[in-house]
């Protein structure tokens, strides 16, 4: 027996177990995991003494080469995937452009697949809906599943750019999600609250950005969607939860939301509060939802430690300093987004005090299970993909 690659003398961390082992790879798959004493010849052998081997991380929320009209997010699939690899991320899930018809969907699929062709790692896409779609919930769900993209993203806000999906469509999609086998991803902020508050500000300072999109606009919308999902026994995944208050409110509702609603947060909400918005370079910290108060950040970290968050996406969407800077006088023109792809492992390993079982669940097994990639990904075992993060 001879293998392509041997990773010997390391400690494997997969599922809820940590054990010393050698990992042997043939082609793209893990072939054998043996005890340390049992060794086999391989074309290339790496000594992993003192190192941990985890199933490669999955970042389920990135925006590479996202075309916003005036600007395009600066990392493409080549540079973005290199950055991902540097942090142990071996699978990315990006988004198709918003679609409002089935023919749009075919076009969006083709163009994003072409854009992604130079990725160094595995990738997939979520389908994104535009507002007032020209299809029924059944039609788009079936098209997405047939295209092997079983996750559909909706926005509850951005009516001004025609991306808001109404509650009726959300209700239908949640009703279908478990039966047909797809996940409904929701960017959850209350559109009307945000529009109402915006009219109070003619030119907000950067410090005021948190107030422009207040926590209650997130909290009220996430609570509503979680209740809808509970009622419909749906499969809901809330992207980029920014405030620990949102999760505290969910948990205080006294309903068992967790089987029907999974929560994602991002390294920037776990690590940063809204103080960087103050001062000279505040404009560089513009992303959506905005960073929150220190108290809300701490609540978010406790929710993470208690296991109330399922998955970490980075929402990686960086722009050049120049592109941010030339819009510093007018927030409404600012390209929103920041860069954190590849930072999730370091952030979580610190926040979870080196508990690799928890880190690996959040970065690998949970997103793999939620998005139908398990057990080929999210697991380190014979037959799984040889996507391995060595730390
Ligand atoms: Zn995003």
């Amino acid at each position: 027996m001879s293998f392509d690659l041997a990773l010997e003398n390391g400690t494997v961390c997969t599922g809820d177990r940590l054990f010393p082992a050698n990992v042997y790879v043939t082609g793209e798959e893990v072939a054998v995991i043996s005890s340390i004493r049992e060794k086999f010849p391989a074309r290339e052998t790496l000594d992993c003494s003192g190192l941990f081997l985890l199933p490669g991380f999955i970042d389920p929320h990135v925006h590479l080469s996202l075309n916003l009209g005036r600007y395009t997010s600066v990392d493409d699939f080549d540079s973005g995937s290199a950055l991902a690899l540097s942090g142990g991320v071996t699978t990315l899930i990006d988004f198709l452009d918003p679609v409002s018809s089935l023919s749009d969907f075919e076009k969006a699929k083709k163009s994003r697949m072409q854009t992604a062709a130079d990725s160094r790692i595995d990738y997939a896409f979520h389908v994104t809906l535009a507002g007032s779609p020209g299809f029924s919930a059944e039609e788009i769900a079936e098209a997405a599943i047939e295209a092997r993209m079983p996750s559909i993203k909706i926005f509850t806000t951005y009516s001004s750019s025609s991306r808001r999906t109404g509650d009726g469509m959300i209700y239908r999609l949640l009703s279908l999600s478990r039966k047909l086998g797809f996940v409904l991803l929701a960017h959850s902020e209350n559109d009307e609250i945000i529009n109402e508050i915006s009219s109070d500000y003619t030119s907000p300072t950067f410090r005021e950005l948190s107030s422009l999109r207040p926590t209650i606009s997130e909290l009220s919308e996430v609570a509503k969607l979680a209740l809808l999902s509970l009622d419909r026994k749906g499969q809901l995944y809330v992207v980029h939860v920014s405030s620990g208050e949102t999760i505290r409110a969910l948990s205080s509702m006294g309903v068992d939301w967790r089987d029907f609603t999974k929560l994602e947060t991002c390294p920037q909400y776990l690590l940063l509060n809204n103080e960087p918005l103050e001062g000279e370079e505040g404009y560089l910290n513009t992303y959506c939802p905005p960073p929150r108060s220190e108290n809300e950040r701490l609540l978010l970290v406790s929710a993470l430690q208690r296991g109330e968050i399922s998955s970490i996406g980075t929402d990686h969407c960086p722009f050049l300093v120049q592109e941010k800077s030339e819009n510093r006088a007018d927030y409404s023109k600012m390209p929103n987004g920041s860069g954190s792809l590849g930072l999730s492992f370091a952030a979580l390993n610190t926040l979870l005090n080196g508990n690799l079982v928890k880190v690996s669940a959040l970065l690998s097994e949970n997103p793999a299970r939620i998005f139908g990639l398990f057990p080929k990904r999210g697991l380190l075992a014979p037959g799984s993909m040889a996507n391995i993060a060595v730390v």
Side-chain angles (χ1 to χ4, degrees):
M1 214 166 10
S2 178
F3 299 100
D4 293 330
L5 176 67
L7 301 167
E8 292 182 339
N9 309 316
T11 300
V12 167
C13 174
T14 186
D16 54 6
R17 294 202 307 143
L18 280 160
F19 53 93
N22 307 315
V23 176
Y24 296 92
V25 172
T26 300
E28 295 203 318
E29 290 187 357
V30 173
V32 167
I33 298 186
S34 71
S35 69
I36 294 285
R37 264 179 299 163
E38 200 181 2
K39 294 205 162 63
F40 303 101
R43 235 169 5 94
E44 187 182 2
T45 296
L46 300 173
D47 181 13
C48 295
S49 301
L51 301 173
F52 294 92
L53 280 62
L54 284 66
F57 306 139
I58 298 165
D59 191 329
H61 189 161
V62 298
H63 300 282
L64 301 175
S65 294
L66 173 67
N67 183 347
L68 288 183
R70 276 163 75 225
Y71 303 110
T72 297
S73 65
V74 294
D75 271 317
D76 58 16
F77 276 82
D78 180 35
S79 66
S81 59
L83 194 54
L85 270 179
S86 73
V89 175
T90 55
T91 304
L92 295 173
I93 317 184
D94 201 302
F95 296 80
L96 299 189
D97 295 330
V99 297
S100 53
S101 69
L102 291 176
S103 57
D104 270 6
F105 174 57
E106 286 306 313
K107 269 185 258 162
K109 207 170 69 181
K110 268 207 193 98
S111 84
R112 290 301 279 167
M113 291 297 260
Q114 268 168 14
T115 305
D118 55 1
S119 176
R120 300 161 194 234
I121 62 176
D122 294 346
Y123 56 89
F125 292 99
H126 305 294
V127 177
T128 309
L129 300 198
S132 20
F135 40 67
S136 69
E138 284 86 351
E139 284 169 335
I140 191 63
E142 278 163 12
I145 289 163
E146 184 166 331
R148 302 181 66 194
M149 297 179 180
S151 44
I152 299 175
K153 159 106 176 272
I154 56 98
F155 299 92
T156 64
T157 186
Y158 297 134
S159 57
S160 56
S161 51
S162 307
R163 283 181 287 169
R164 180 186 181 187
T165 292
D167 289 349
M169 181 63 140
I170 292 173
Y171 178 86
R172 289 259 183 242
L173 287 167
L174 284 171
S175 303
L176 291 168
S177 55
R178 194 166 298 266
K179 190 172 75 185
L180 296 184
F182 68 93
V183 180
L184 186 70
L185 276 74
H187 173 127
S188 308
E189 290 181 294
N190 185 299
D191 197 55
E192 291 178 20
I193 293 177
I194 291 168
N195 291 342
E196 184 61 32
I197 293 177
S198 302
S199 65
D200 296 345
Y201 295 86
T202 40
S203 59
T205 63
F206 288 100
R207 187 71 180 88
E208 287 166 333
L209 289 181
S210 303
S211 327
L212 269 183
R213 308 183 85 91
T215 300
I216 188 62
S217 72
E218 171 178 278
L219 187 162
S220 57
E221 207 64 18
V222 172
K224 181 181 75 188
L225 294 191
L227 288 173
L228 286 176
S229 193
L230 179 69
D231 182 72
R232 303 324 297 156
K233 305 275 178 281
Q235 305 196 112
L236 173 69
Y237 179 92
V238 181
V239 298
H240 56 49
V241 173
S242 64
S243 169
E245 274 183 19
T246 298
I247 302 176
R248 191 169 64 174
L250 274 188
S251 296
S252 71
M253 292 198 303
V255 296
D256 189 12
W257 54 272
R258 289 209 216 177
D259 288 341
F260 309 102
T261 297
K262 306 293 180 204
L263 305 180
E264 169 195 277
T265 190
C266 317
Q268 53 272 35
Y269 303 117
L270 289 165
L271 298 174
L272 303 176
N273 60 27
N274 54 13
E275 277 160 28
L277 284 172
E278 289 180 58
E280 278 294 283
E281 295 194 323
Y283 63 91
L284 292 176
N285 298 281
T286 40
Y287 43 87
C288 198
R292 304 296 182 185
S293 67
E294 178 62 5
N295 183 47
E296 290 171 84
R297 183 188 78 79
L298 292 172
L299 283 173
L300 190 66
V301 171
S302 344
L304 177 84
Q305 290 166 340
R306 280 199 308 278
E308 292 183 303
I309 291 165
S310 292
S311 168
I312 306 295
T314 55
D315 203 4
H316 182 79
C317 191
F319 294 91
L320 298 175
V321 169
Q322 166 75 25
E323 293 166 340
K324 294 270 193 190
S325 156
E326 65 200 19
N327 292 288
R328 60 194 298 183
D330 183 359
Y331 169 69
S332 65
K333 297 204 170 79
M334 180 66 73
N336 273 312
S338 70
S340 53
L341 182 49
L343 298 179
S344 296
F345 175 78
L348 287 203
N349 196 41
T350 302
L351 295 170
L352 297 171
N353 303 313
N355 184 328
L356 288 182
V357 166
K358 282 189 180 174
V359 172
S360 168
L362 281 156
L363 295 185
S364 194
E365 182 171 341
N366 295 354
R369 285 186 185 275
I370 292 168
F371 296 110
L373 303 172
F374 194 84
K376 277 294 199 187
R377 293 169 182 78
L379 179 76
L380 199 45
S384 65
M385 298 295 292
N387 292 349
I388 303 170
V390 180
V391 300

